[in-house]
Amino acid sequence: ESASRHAAQIDAQKHLAEIEDLYNNAPCGYHSLDKDGLIIRMNDTELMWLGHTRAEVVGKKHLTDLLTPEGRAKFDQQFEELKRTGVVSDVDLELVRSDGTVLPVIRSASVQRDEKGEFVASRSTVFDNTERKRRDAATRKLNETLRERTRELEAANTELDAFSYSVSHDLRVPLRAMDGYSHMLEEDYAEALDAEGK
C-alpha cells in the first residue's frame, strides 16, 4: 500500500510539473490579479516579454504599474466589469516593458470565485499584438496615401476641366469668325473657285 501511495505521489508530482511547464512556457502570457489588481501570478512568457523577473513583479506590482497612461484608464474600467460579470474579452492594452518600450497586447480574463461567489483572483491570457498593430498601421498609411492620391487626381481633373473649358471658350470666337468668313467666301465667290478651292 505504501509503494502504491508513493507511486501515486510521483505521478501527481509529474502531472503538476507538466502543468507548471505548460503554464510557464505557453506561447501567450498568463497572469492573475487579486481584487485590487495586484499581480499574484505571472508566467515566464509574459515576464520575458516585459523584461522583468518574477521577484520584481509578483506580489509587488499592480497591473496598472505596467500599463501606459491610456491603458490604465481602460484597465480600470474593464477590471470593474470583470469583477461584476466574470469575464472580459479581447481588450486592447499597451504594457510597458522594463526598458520603457511598449508592448501592445490583447487581454482576455475570467474570474475565480470562492464558494460564496466572492472574487478570489482573475485568470488572464495576454497575446502579443505587435504584428497586428504593425499591419494596421501599414494599412492606415496605405489608405492615407490612396486618399492623398485621390485628392491629387481630383485636383488634376478639376484643373483639366478648367483648362478644357478655357480653351473651348477661347477658341469659340475665332472659330465662329472663321466659319462666318468661309460662308461669305462660299456665297460670294463659289463660282470663281475650282473644285479643290471649294
Side-chain angles (χ1 to χ4, degrees), residues 78-164:
Q78 66 90 26
F79 195 51
E80 290 307 312
E81 178 185 340
L82 172 65
K83 288 188 223 178
R84 190 177 66 255
T85 65
V87 66
V88 292
S89 298
D90 302 327
V91 178
D92 275 314
L93 290 175
E94 291 182 326
L95 295 169
V96 180
R97 295 183 180 103
S98 62
D99 65 4
T101 59
V102 172
L103 173 67
V105 296
I106 299 286
R107 179 177 179 266
S108 295
S110 62
V111 169
Q112 177 185 0
R113 298 190 188 277
D114 64 17
E115 60 280 350
K116 295 177 186 173
E118 298 295 321
F119 183 98
V120 173
S122 70
R123 295 176 290 220
S124 303
T125 57
V126 177
F127 292 93
D128 184 343
N129 199 22
T130 305
E131 280 306 310
R132 195 192 95 197
K133 290 281 188 178
R134 197 172 298 160
R135 284 192 309 268
D136 289 351
T139 300
R140 279 192 302 276
K141 184 175 181 181
L142 179 60
N143 285 338
E144 183 52 41
T145 300
L146 289 172
R147 280 192 290 276
E148 181 61 31
R149 292 216 174 135
T150 299
R151 286 191 289 271
E152 290 170 2
L153 185 58
E154 288 170 351
N157 282 337
T158 300
E159 288 178 20
L160 185 58
D161 287 345
F163 176 74
S164 296

Side-chain angles (χ1 to χ4, degrees), residues 45-59:
T45 302
E46 192 168 351
L47 288 166
M48 181 193 64
W49 287 349
L50 295 174
H52 286 293
T53 65
R54 187 167 276 105
E56 293 171 326
V57 173
V58 174

Side-chain angles (χ1 to χ4, degrees), residues 164-174:
S164 296
Y165 175 79
S166 176
V167 167
S168 167
H169 184 268
D170 290 350
L171 290 178
R172 191 173 296 136
V173 173

Side-chain angles (χ1 to χ4, degrees), residues 13 19-20 25 48 83 101 106 132 163 175 184 194:
Q13 288 172 347
I19 291 171
E20 185 176 339
N25 298 301
M48 181 193 64
K83 288 188 223 178
T101 59
I106 299 286
R132 195 192 95 197
F163 176 74
L175 287 174
M184 287 170 41
D194 62 11

